[in-house]
Each structure stands twice: as structure tokens, then as C-alpha cells.
Amino acid sequence: MLNAHNITVTFAGEDLFSGITFKLNPGDRIGLVGKNGAGKSTLLKVIAKEQYHSAGTLAFEKEISIGYLKQDIDFEGGKTVLEEAYSAFKEIKSIEKKLEKVNTELAERTDYESDYYHDLMHDLDDLSHRYELIGGYNYQGDTEKILGGLGFKQEDFNMLTDTFSGGWRMRIELAKLLLQNHDILLLDEPTNHLDIESIIWFENFLKGFAGAIMLVSHDKMFLDNVTNRTIEISLGRIYDFKKPYSQYLLLRNEIKEKQIQAQKNQEKEIKHTEQLINKFRAKANKASMAQSLIKKLNKVERIEVDVEDNAVMNVRFNMSIMPGKIVIEGENLAKNYGDNQVLNNVDLLIERGARIAFVGQNGQGKTTLAKMIVNEIDFDGKLKLGHNVQIGYFAQNQSEYLNGEITVLQTMEDAATDSNRIRVRDMLGAFLFRGDEVEKKVKVLSGGERNRLALCKMMLSPFNVLIMDEPTNHLDIISKNVLKIALKKFEGTLILVSHDRDFLKGLTDKVYSFKDEKIREYLGDINYFLEQHDLDSMREVEMRTKTKEVNLKSTGGKKEFKDTKQKKKLQNKLSKIESEISKLENEIINDDAALSENFDKLTTDENFFKNYQAKKDKVDDLMEEWEEIQSKLENI
């Protein structure tokens, strides 16, 4: 599908990476990993042909289709969620307009025997056939299914995209990408704006994707669940193994240990050979042997151990002063944004030392409650902070509050006080801003570097209660691990809003689940919550089914209940047939394309035409079966 050979990208005279070579094959699900600034997003841009490479070649298969999800997207307003999602189907929408035009003309004309009317009928037939082949009768259902999987509700579909946050609009872009049936998907941090439920749905979708995937993610669990190959960019070169991330790490460590051992053995051998050379040089009758050993030594290819970029943040969260036993107390808390009621009649009691995870779908009030606690937004109800409570708050979009026009150093100095200004450079060094890097303007930093700077700036203020809203967005895996260790050691009260399951593991002992304007408490870690949540979801489905059955029995009797079950069965059968027809039609399109390219060769291939005709016959049979089932459905 793709062959990258010796790809080099240079910025300001320095190579970001050089000599990168790899192949992308059908079925590959590549996790592209590495530290912030290593060049992961740049490599995706190069493959997507959105950025030039300084050297090397990229060779693609003919007519390969590439879908690319960027971190930052320019949105256009004025469309509903469905209208924006439907824009993924350019050919379908174009044919719909042509069909409408042709049908209008046919309805208005009466010259049924004329050549022009005959041509219109021919155009209608061709357009209808093409419309059916490319999924014109299925695209609306597919769109609603994918939007639902990504967290949109039915009532959201007809709302303008302008009314949604950037994260939700990013989901619409992701939905469009998934609907377009690309051969290759390039995904840059696709889970940053997804909640846990949507991530699990997205994982299952990608597992069933037929093409190739290359994705940048710092979510270790997501990488392990989706990928089957890992490419790491480190210090300008790549390491490529056909393993998901966790297995790759183990394998790479094993390889490095073997390299170290082999290097030690080689050094011993070289040292022994050098001693013999020095010994033989002193004797005239051994001089030829010495020369022979020197030649042998010059030919030895020295074993090198892979160099790793081991620079990590040095983070420590110190508790300022001891607060009272109750740190946060809330009564009848409520918040609405216009007609949208987010939280209602919520009571809250958080004690000193609590470690709480806020989880739930986007828009259910997690960030809203965090902002209410730090008094960033107005709300209804009573909320009181306890004695000596000092809050440190890391907002979800904390890095956006940074001034892009000033330097890293100036950002810190402007926020510092007289007591800690002298420590600013040391603090920046601990967050990997060293030497000339402190003179960089904030606007040139990567997303992960901006997050590190925002974390560093937060440390300038004292706190004993730490509220962090999606702190891991854009942080690389190594930085996330360092942050996790620092949070484990923090002795104060911790409230974490996060969708990163692996990051939350072992960090909290209580989960607050946000749903339908309320908060439900789970006394356990994220794993316990997910187990219980699965059980709750199953019970919810069972209860809905039972309620439906009771209602049907009470209002329409046994016949109505039986009809509904029969209808459901037929609809499922209909859906399977539609899916099978769609699959066969796609295969026929590919066969048509193969015929147009290799007609002379394929005309002698009996099996090709036999299979080709069998697919067409099967489509005809399935269409007849579809009509029969549709007729039964209409009669119920």
C-alpha cells in the first residue's frame, strides 16, 4: 500500500528524523510512538502529503485512498451535525442532486416517445444503479450508527455544529473519516476528545477495519487493544516491530540486553587481540602475524547498543499545609447552559486525602463541576471549601491560556512570586526545558510541550487539593508515567477528570460517574467501575426490554407483542441482507476496475468471469429476498 524509503525531514538546518524506511501493508495497525517533538505528527503529515520531506521517496499503490485526522482542524459553521456528517459522501450527494433533476424533468415532460425522454430514462437507470452500488440507500443509517457510537444522541443530529465545543466537532470529523471507507487511516491523537465509552466503541470499530491504520496515541491501553505493530521514533531514527506497544517494549528491552552482552563479549575479544598485536610487534619473526591481526581487527564491525532518549520530567507535588477534615462540601448544586441542564440537585462531600476519578460521557458535567469548585463559573446551590483548603487547578485547555507570543522563561517569570522566582530555571529544567529551549516562544511548542509548561506554571502556586482535568492530553507515554508516579506520591486530596483507563489505574480509590444530571459514587478503582458499569448497562438493557414487553402485553395483547417480535426478526434479517449486498457490490466495482485495467489478460481467465457472474447472480437473488421480506414487513 505504501513504501517509504529514506525519508528525511529537516527544520532550520537540523534533521528532525532521517533515513526512515518502512512499508505499510494491508491489515497493519501501526502505533506510532515517541516523545513529544520526536516527529510523529510530522511523519503523518508527510504521508498525507500535507508536508514536504527533505529527502527520500514515498511510493503509493495506484488509486489508494488516505483519510487523515489532524489534531487541529478548521471548522465551518452553518450546518447541522447530520448535514456535516453527510458531507463525507460527496459522490452520493452529487448523484442525489442529479437524480432529483432528472426526476423533476421526467415528471414535467409528456413527450414519452422522444429521444430526449429516452435519454432521461437511460440517465435515471445509470444514476440509480451507481447510487445503489456506492451505498446510497445505506449511508444515512451508517451515519447515525457511527455518530451514536461516538457519543451523539438522536436529539443532537439536527443541532448546528456551531453549538458544540471543539472536542465534539472533532468527533464529527472523525465520524466523516470513518464513513468514507478509506484504504489507509492516519489518526493523530484520535482519543483526546473521546470519553471512555466512545473509546471502547472506537476500539471495536478499528478492530473490524479492513484497511491499514497508522495512529499516534499516548493511550497505552488503546494502543494495546488496537495495534499489531509499533514504530517508535527516537533521536531521529525508527524502531519497527510487529508487536503492540506493551509487547514491543518487552521485546526492545530484550534486544537491548542482548546487544549490551554481545558488545561486552566483543570488547573482550578486541582487547585480547590488541594485547596479542602488541606482543607480536616486539618480535621480528612474529611481525607478519601482528599485521594479519591488525587487518582482522580493522574488518570487525563494532556492535552498537541502541541509544535511547532517557530524558524525563522530574515532578513532585508537595502538599502546602494541612487542611481540615472536610475539604469540599456542596448542597443542591445545579448548573445549566441555557436550556441544557447539566447538573441538578447534586450533593457533595469530599474529605481530606480522598482520591477521586470523575468519569462519564462528554457533556455530562465533569468539567462543569471542576469549574464550579474553583469558582470559575456561576451555579445554583451552596458550595463551601473547608478550613485551610488551597486548590491547584489544571484545566482541560490549560495550555490555551498560555500567551503564544512570549517565551517559555517569560511565561514562568510573569507567574512567579518573589519567593520562587529564583527557582524558575530549575523548575523548567525539571520539566525538560533546558538551555536555549527556555527562549523558545510558546507558539512554536508542540501540544505535549505546552502541557508540560502549563504543569510547570501550576507548580508556582501552593496547594493541598489538586484538581486536574484531562492532564494527559498530548503528553507522551513516558511523561504520563512520570506524572502518574508524582500523583501517587501526592499526599493531598486528588480529583482527576480523565478518559485514560491505564492512567487512572491505581491512582484513585473512588469513582464519581456523571450521567443524566446526577452523580453516582463507586467505592473502588477504575477497573471496579468498568466492571460495574458493564453490569449496569446490561441490567439497563434488560429493564428496557422487560418494560417494553410489559407495555406491549398490557396495551395490545399477545398478538401485538408477537407482531413486534416478528418485525424485529425481519428487520435484523433485512439488515444482514443489505450488508451482504453492499459487500458484493463493492467486490463487483473492484472487478469492473480490474477489467478496465487488464481486459486482455482477464478475458482468458475463466475463473474470473465465473466468479464475477456468480456475484451478480447472488446480488439478484438477495434483492428478490429483500423485496419479499420488505413486503412481509409492510403487511405486519
Side-chain angles (χ1 to χ4, degrees), residues 41 68-73 170 188-189 192-193 216 447 474:
S41 296
Y68 175 39
L69 182 77
K70 299 182 261 190
Q71 283 190 31
D72 303 307
I73 293 174
M170 188 68 82
D188 197 352
E189 297 284 9
N192 266 2
H193 301 285
V216 174
H474 305 296

Side-chain angles (χ1 to χ4, degrees), residues 44-308:
L44 289 188
K45 286 177 185 174
V46 168
I47 296 169
K49 301 176 185 177
E50 293 210 354
Q51 182 168 313
Y52 291 109
H53 46 288
S54 313
T57 56
L58 278 174
F60 296 91
E61 276 186 18
K62 193 177 179 183
E63 294 182 1
I64 209 85
S65 170
I66 297 176
Y68 175 39
L69 182 77
K70 299 182 261 190
Q71 283 190 31
D72 303 307
I73 293 174
D74 296 324
F75 298 102
E76 290 182 18
K79 291 182 180 177
T80 66
V81 171
L82 272 182
E83 286 170 345
E84 184 61 41
Y86 288 160
S87 67
F89 303 98
K90 289 180 181 175
E91 187 180 359
I92 286 175
K93 300 307 283 183
S94 171
I95 291 176
E96 280 183 346
K97 287 180 182 176
K98 290 174 183 175
L99 281 169
E100 187 180 351
K101 186 180 177 184
V102 170
N103 280 317
T104 302
E105 277 201 70
L106 284 170
E108 290 173 351
R109 300 186 73 91
T110 55
D111 52 340
Y112 308 123
E113 302 302 322
S114 68
D115 290 341
Y116 187 74
Y117 194 88
H118 177 75
D119 290 342
L120 281 175
M121 290 297 294
H122 188 265
D123 288 345
L124 180 65
D125 187 50
D126 286 347
L127 288 168
S128 298
H129 181 64
R130 180 62 185 164
Y131 186 73
E132 191 177 342
L133 279 179
I134 62 176
Y137 298 110
N138 302 322
Y139 80 95
Q140 292 178 335
D142 291 342
T143 302
E144 291 189 16
K145 196 184 296 178
I146 285 181
L147 285 172
L150 292 173
F152 288 93
K153 296 176 183 174
Q154 197 79 28
E155 55 265 32
D156 296 331
F157 292 167
N158 294 315
M159 291 175 64
L160 290 174
T161 58
D162 311 58
T163 61
F164 290 88
S165 67
W168 280 98
R169 282 184 283 179
M170 188 68 82
R171 291 186 189 215
I172 300 170
E173 290 301 312
L174 179 57
K176 286 162 60 178
L177 202 66
L178 301 183
L179 287 162
Q180 286 168 336
N181 293 322
H182 292 289
D183 302 302
I184 298 174
L185 285 181
L186 305 175
L187 307 170
D188 197 352
E189 297 284 9
T191 63
N192 266 2
H193 301 285
L194 301 181
D195 51 63
I196 290 173
E197 289 183 13
S198 298
I199 290 173
I200 292 169
W201 176 88
F202 187 40
E203 284 175 354
N204 290 326
F205 181 93
L206 292 180
K207 284 174 189 175
F209 179 68
I213 301 166
M214 181 177 273
L215 63 92
V216 174
S217 178
H218 300 134
D219 185 330
K220 183 168 165 280
M221 192 176 287
F222 181 72
L223 286 169
D224 283 341
N225 288 342
V226 171
T227 63
N228 56 17
R229 181 176 164 194
T230 301
I231 293 179
E232 180 182 5
I233 304 179
S234 178
L235 300 173
R237 58 176 295 189
I238 66 166
Y239 300 88
D240 186 353
F241 290 92
K242 291 184 178 179
K243 298 284 182 185
Y245 183 72
S246 292
Q247 292 180 39
Y248 157 73
L249 284 181
L250 293 171
L251 189 60
R252 192 175 166 193
N253 286 335
E254 285 175 17
I255 290 169
K256 190 177 178 183
E257 284 172 13
K258 287 177 182 175
Q259 284 177 337
I260 291 169
Q261 191 57 49
Q263 191 184 56
K264 284 179 181 176
N265 293 337
Q266 188 185 60
E267 284 171 354
K268 279 182 188 176
E269 198 175 319
I270 289 169
K271 191 176 181 182
H272 178 66
T273 305
E274 286 173 342
Q275 286 172 345
L276 287 175
I277 290 169
N278 291 332
K279 187 178 176 181
F280 292 155
R281 267 179 178 162
K283 298 176 183 178
N285 62 336
K286 302 280 186 180
S288 61
M289 289 180 70
Q291 287 301 316
S292 176
L293 287 170
I294 290 169
K295 286 178 183 177
K296 181 185 172 185
L297 197 60
N298 288 336
K299 288 179 181 177
V300 171
E301 191 173 328
R302 305 293 171 113
I303 294 170
E304 292 184 2
V305 177
D306 291 338
V307 181
E308 290 186 42

Side-chain angles (χ1 to χ4, degrees), residues 233-466:
I233 304 179
S234 178
L235 300 173
R237 58 176 295 189
I238 66 166
Y239 300 88
D240 186 353
F241 290 92
K242 291 184 178 179
K243 298 284 182 185
Y245 183 72
S246 292
Q247 292 180 39
Y248 157 73
L249 284 181
L250 293 171
L251 189 60
R252 192 175 166 193
N253 286 335
E254 285 175 17
I255 290 169
K256 190 177 178 183
E257 284 172 13
K258 287 177 182 175
Q259 284 177 337
I260 291 169
Q261 191 57 49
Q263 191 184 56
K264 284 179 181 176
N265 293 337
Q266 188 185 60
E267 284 171 354
K268 279 182 188 176
E269 198 175 319
I270 289 169
K271 191 176 181 182
H272 178 66
T273 305
E274 286 173 342
Q275 286 172 345
L276 287 175
I277 290 169
N278 291 332
K279 187 178 176 181
F280 292 155
R281 267 179 178 162
K283 298 176 183 178
N285 62 336
K286 302 280 186 180
S288 61
M289 289 180 70
Q291 287 301 316
S292 176
L293 287 170
I294 290 169
K295 286 178 183 177
K296 181 185 172 185
L297 197 60
N298 288 336
K299 288 179 181 177
V300 171
E301 191 173 328
R302 305 293 171 113
I303 294 170
E304 292 184 2
V305 177
D306 291 338
V307 181
E308 290 186 42
D309 187 353
N310 291 316
V312 294
M313 295 191 300
N314 181 16
V315 187
R316 184 177 177 82
F317 297 109
N318 294 313
M319 193 166 79
S320 54
I321 55 175
M322 183 67 74
K325 187 181 178 184
I326 306 298
V327 292
I328 302 167
E329 191 173 1
E331 189 179 342
N332 293 326
L333 299 174
K335 176 63 184 175
N336 64 287
Y337 297 96
D339 294 332
N340 182 22
Q341 189 75 38
V342 180
L343 295 170
N344 192 28
N345 197 25
V346 170
D347 293 331
L348 197 66
L349 186 70
I350 298 176
E351 296 185 348
R352 180 182 63 226
R355 305 178 73 80
I356 302 168
F358 284 6
V359 302
Q361 288 188 326
N362 293 104
Q364 293 292 328
K366 305 184 301 293
T367 296
T368 296
L369 183 57
K371 288 181 177 179
M372 286 161 61
I373 293 171
V374 297
N375 204 28
E376 193 174 292
I377 56 174
D378 295 327
F379 57 91
D380 297 319
K382 295 177 183 177
L383 196 147
K384 186 174 74 173
L385 300 183
H387 178 65
N388 279 343
V389 168
Q390 295 175 329
I391 294 179
Y393 177 51
F394 184 90
Q396 186 177 149
N397 57 344
Q398 187 81 38
S399 59
E400 293 176 17
Y401 290 112
L402 301 173
N403 184 350
E405 298 304 320
I406 62 176
T407 66
V408 169
L409 181 60
Q410 194 178 339
T411 299
M412 289 291 287
E413 286 179 338
D414 289 351
T417 61
D418 292 338
S419 62
N420 58 24
R421 188 167 282 111
I422 196 170
R423 293 174 44 237
V424 160
R425 281 184 178 270
D426 289 338
M427 290 174 71
L428 284 170
F431 280 82
L432 303 182
F433 296 104
R434 295 163 186 163
D436 293 340
E437 288 184 337
V438 301
E439 300 302 333
K440 281 183 179 178
K441 284 197 172 181
V442 172
K443 65 182 178 183
V444 303
L445 301 179
S446 69
E449 288 168 330
R450 285 198 297 270
N451 255 27
R452 290 208 312 264
L453 178 58
L455 274 171
C456 189
K457 184 182 174 187
M458 188 188 75
M459 306 281 280
L460 290 167
S461 303
F463 51 81
N464 48 31
V465 176
L466 186 52

